[in-house]
Amino acid sequence: MQKKTLVLGASPTPTRYAYKAVRRLLSYGHDVVAIGKVEAEIEAVKIVKEMIDIPDLHTVTLYLNPRNQEPYLDYIIDLEPKRIIFNPGTYNPKLEKMAKDAGIKTIEDCTLVMLDTDDY
């Protein structure tokens, strides 16, 4: 099943995990939206800097440390995703509580591993 996914903290640098996640999500047929601090492109996905509206969002996968997540907390909750994935180094108890209060599932895992093991 295709899951529209926001990669928050997307990077145009091929060695970054956020870059690899965008490419891997695409290779598995998921619709990908990317927000980062630099406007760029990964394959056909444009990385935007703005907090855009994303209808029918299934998953937010985080590639920002908790301090850098701060400006996005309300935005993430307002998008009403079905789940938030905290990749290694991104776990944020404040966001987890906000998500649980809003009925959003949270997972501490690695998006790349989840995709490869059919757990996505």
Side-chain angles (χ1 to χ4, degrees), residues 12-43:
T13 306
T15 55
R16 304 289 303 225
Y17 286 109
Y19 176 92
K20 293 174 184 182
V22 170
R23 294 201 58 214
R24 188 86 49 91
L25 285 159
L26 289 171
S27 76
Y28 278 86
H30 297 287
D31 188 8
V32 180
V33 179
I35 296 178
K37 61 182 178 186
V38 177
E39 288 185 3
E41 223 171 276
I42 302 171
E43 294 187 20

Side-chain angles (χ1 to χ4, degrees), residues 87-107:
N87 286 281
T90 67
Y91 176 70
N92 182 342
K94 180 179 178 181
L95 178 55
E96 181 181 53
K97 181 179 183 339
M98 290 172 70
K100 287 195 182 210
D101 290 348
I104 300 166
K105 180 179 178 180
T106 61
I107 301 169

